[in-house]
């Protein structure tokens, strides 16, 4: 057992230690060395200083490691992005750090008047980050990986000054964050404000790197579309963006199945209506990639050609294609008797069949722009069976033609619906006030349109009328004329036809002049009816 004196000493020491600990670290460092040698004092002091430094280092490390996931850091990033990209508004999702990578769940930007985009949405943004990035010097992200990138690009501006500001914003660098390249395995870009100049790149693998004072972008895979071109598969596309402008140095595209080839280069000018200047080459491209699906039952095959690209991505004229098409080796245009006049010829000509006419020689010239297609210099030959020549223009219907097609006497009623209530957007009619789309719309959904021109439909009849007018707006009209060169014996068994269409002695062919007017479904119908009528009595 301890003596009473020993117990008192232990109790005193415990009380003394407790009192000393309450005096703080500095008091302990000052008085701990009393009664000790200089070396002992320095050793104890150094040990305690190391302990303090270690504790501070751990605290700083924990702060630096966790600062990226704090709300304050995310707000700093949001403000920085909003300023750098000249956004009207910016949303930033959760930020997480895993090892040397920072991941932003999403970034959503709405462009201001000075931005180069209308909308920008980036999902799953990852970049390199170290503990001291942004604390000591700039944050060097090295490279940025974006899981999905969606950008609605501006195609010009209201005036040259605003367009210049928007374009210059593409090259602004932020002092607090630097990177040399960015990639996205799923990049989606859109441009153009109307069906005359809209284009897109979708689901493409994008790699971009700094080059001089600009950016070099490379797209692989995915689809490219522009105006009337059907989606084309991207093999390779290289785009150079610099303060001096945008140049598509090379673009190699094919049909979805890999057949055919379309290559082009293009320089995009500056200003509110940036001009386009480029050349394209088409090699054995399937027609279904160049034509609307409405033509699939009429015509098929492949064709080649060379031409130019001009116009603007922000003008009434839109993007203009001027192409001279030719049937090269291996090309063929197959026209079927879904065309009324060919169906009639199959009936009245007992010696030849026009169910499937394979043109393998010749060509034609095409110019598209301002929502018009003009085909001229048509000169196609299907061996000795049939020659085809002429010209035709494809255009939207006039307000009067829409009214006539629907038997509407009040033309103003049609005009009000088309000009005040609706507009074209992505080839779909869209209500200008509600944003609702007409495609697949029921009478109830169509009633959500604005009240301009027609008051809100009071019954199903008015609703169906509105829908019919808007759909008729999308039905193209054709005007022009072609002439068909038939074999000399085509009407030998039909005397009235032979008398009406004599053989041309110079070419030894029967030439039929056929006007083209109206809708696609009724082209050559009146001529076909005349053939049936004159060819009823045969020898």
């Amino acid at each position: 057992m301890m003596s009473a004196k020993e117990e008192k000493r232990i109790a005193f020491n415990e009380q003394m230690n407790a009192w000393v600990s309450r005096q703080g670290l500095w008091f302990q460092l000052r008085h701990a060395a009393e009664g000790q040698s200089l070396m002992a004092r320095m050793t104890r002091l150094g040990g305690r200083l190391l302990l303090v430094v270690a504790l501070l280092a751990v605290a700083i490390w924990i702060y630096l490691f966790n600062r990226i996931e704090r709300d304050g850091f995310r707000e700093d990033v949001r403000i920085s992005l909003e300023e750098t990209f000249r956004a009207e508004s910016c949303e930033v999702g959760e930020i997480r750090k895993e090892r040397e990578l920072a991941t932003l769940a999403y970034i959503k930007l709405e462009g201001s008047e000075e931005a180069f985009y209308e909308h920008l949405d980036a999902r799953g943004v990852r970049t390199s980050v170290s503990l001291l990035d942004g604390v000591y010097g700039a944050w060097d992200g090295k490279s940025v990986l974006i899981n999905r990138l969606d950008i609605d690009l501006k195609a010009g501006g209201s005036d040259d000054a605003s367009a210049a500001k928007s374009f210059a914003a593409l090259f602004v660098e932020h002092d607090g964050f630097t990177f040399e390249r960015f990639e996205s395995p799923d990049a989606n870009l859109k441009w153009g404000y109307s069906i005359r100049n809209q284009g897109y790149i979708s689901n493409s693998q994008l790699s971009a790197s700094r080059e001089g004072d600009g950016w070099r972008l490379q797209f692989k895979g995915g689809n490219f579309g522009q105006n009337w071109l059907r989606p084309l598969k991207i093999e390779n596309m290289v785009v150079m963006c610099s303060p001096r402008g945008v140049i598509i140095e090379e673009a190699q595209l094919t049909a979805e199945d890999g057949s055919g080839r379309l290559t082009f280069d293009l320089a995009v000018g500056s200003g509110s209506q940036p001009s386009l200047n480029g050349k394209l080459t088409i090699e054995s491209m399937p027609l279904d990639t160049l034509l609307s699906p409405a033509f699939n039952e009429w015509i098929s095959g492949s064709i080649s050609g060379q031409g130019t690209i001009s116009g603007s991505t922000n003008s009434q004229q839109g993007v203009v294609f001027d192409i001279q098409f030719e049937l090269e080796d291996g090309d063929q245009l197959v026209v079927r008797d879904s065309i009324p006049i060919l169906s009639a010829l199959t009936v009245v000509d007992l010696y030849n069949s026009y169910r499937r006419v394979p043109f393998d020689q010749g060509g034609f010239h095409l110019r598209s722009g301002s929502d018009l297609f003009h085909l001229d210099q048509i000169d196609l030959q299907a061996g000795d069976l049939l020659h085809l020549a002429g010209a035709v223009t494809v255009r939207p219907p006039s307000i009067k033609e829409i009214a006539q097609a629907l038997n509407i006497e009040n033309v103003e009623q049609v005009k009000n619906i088309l000009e005040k209530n609706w507009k074209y957007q992505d080839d779909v009619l869209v209500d200008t006030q509600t944003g609702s789309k007409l495609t697949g719309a029921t009478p109830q959904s169509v009633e959500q349109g604005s009240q301009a021109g027609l008051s809100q439909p009071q019954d199903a009849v008015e609703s169906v009328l509105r829908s019919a007018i808007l759909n008729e707006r999308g039905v193209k009209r054709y005007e022009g004329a072609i002439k068909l060169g038939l074999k000399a014996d085509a009407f030998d068994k039909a005397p009235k036809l032979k008398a009406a269409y004599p053989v041309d002695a110079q070419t030894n062919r029967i030439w039929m002049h056929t006007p083209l007017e109206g809708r696609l479904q009724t082209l050559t119908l009146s001529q076909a009816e005349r053939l049936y009528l004159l060819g009823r009595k045969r020898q």
Side-chain angles (χ1 to χ4, degrees), residues 65 68-69 95-104 125-130 139 141-145:
F65 186 83
I68 293 177
E69 299 183 0
I95 303 178
R96 300 188 64 85
K97 183 179 184 302
E98 297 179 5
R99 297 182 181 179
E100 296 299 313
L101 287 177
T103 301
L104 289 74
V125 182
R126 287 180 289 173
T127 187
S128 299
V129 62
S130 66
W139 178 358
K142 297 181 177 64
S143 65
V144 178
L145 176 63

Side-chain angles (χ1 to χ4, degrees), residues 22 115 118 190 197 205 240 340 438 458 488 510 534:
R22 290 195 298 270
E118 298 287 353
K190 295 193 304 179
N197 46 39
Q205 181 177 336
M240 184 63 199
L438 177 67
Q458 301 298 316
I510 297 172
L534 296 177

Side-chain angles (χ1 to χ4, degrees), residues 422 431 436 438 441-449 457 463 466-467 470:
W422 302 82
D431 187 293
S436 61
L438 177 67
T442 62
Q444 289 76 18
S445 64
V446 174
E447 289 178 4
Q448 298 175 0
S463 180
R466 180 200 291 268
S467 179
L470 296 172

Side-chain angles (χ1 to χ4, degrees), residues 98-238:
E98 297 179 5
R99 297 182 181 179
E100 296 299 313
L101 287 177
T103 301
L104 289 74
Y106 64 84
I107 299 172
K108 291 184 179 180
L109 299 170
E110 296 293 328
S112 68
E113 291 185 0
E114 296 184 357
F116 64 87
Y117 59 92
E118 298 287 353
H119 315 283
L120 188 152
D121 189 349
R123 300 279 172 171
V125 182
R126 287 180 289 173
T127 187
S128 299
V129 62
S130 66
L131 287 178
L132 296 180
D133 273 340
V135 176
Y136 180 76
W139 178 358
D140 184 7
K142 297 181 177 64
S143 65
V144 178
L145 176 63
I146 306 171
N147 287 346
R148 180 182 173 92
L149 177 63
D150 295 273
I151 308 179
D152 190 351
L153 296 167
K154 288 185 178 178
S158 57
D159 54 61
D160 290 347
S162 63
K165 286 184 179 180
S166 297
F167 186 67
L170 185 61
F171 309 101
V172 172
E173 295 187 32
H174 191 269
D175 294 336
F177 179 73
T178 61
F179 62 99
E180 292 301 315
R181 59 182 294 109
F182 69 90
E183 299 179 358
S184 177
D186 188 3
N188 303 271
L189 284 67
K190 295 193 304 179
W191 57 87
Y193 297 109
S194 73
I195 58 174
R196 299 186 182 101
N197 46 39
Q198 285 174 344
Y200 63 88
I201 292 174
S202 63
N203 308 121
S204 184
Q205 181 177 336
L206 166 62
S207 299
S209 59
R210 291 189 187 276
E211 185 169 303
D213 57 355
W215 287 91
R216 178 175 292 276
L217 286 68
Q218 183 175 38
F219 297 89
K220 286 184 176 292
N223 295 315
F224 172 88
Q226 179 66 55
N227 293 52
W228 45 268
L229 284 176
R230 309 295 295 170
L232 298 173
K233 184 178 178 181
I234 301 173
E235 281 193 348
N236 187 46
M237 182 181 292
V238 178

Side-chain angles (χ1 to χ4, degrees), residues 246-250 264-268 276-279 309-310:
V246 176
I247 297 177
I248 301 178
E249 296 181 347
E250 64 171 311
F264 71 91
D265 58 73
L266 181 68
V268 183
L276 305 177
N277 183 13
K279 297 180 180 180
I309 307 172
S310 59

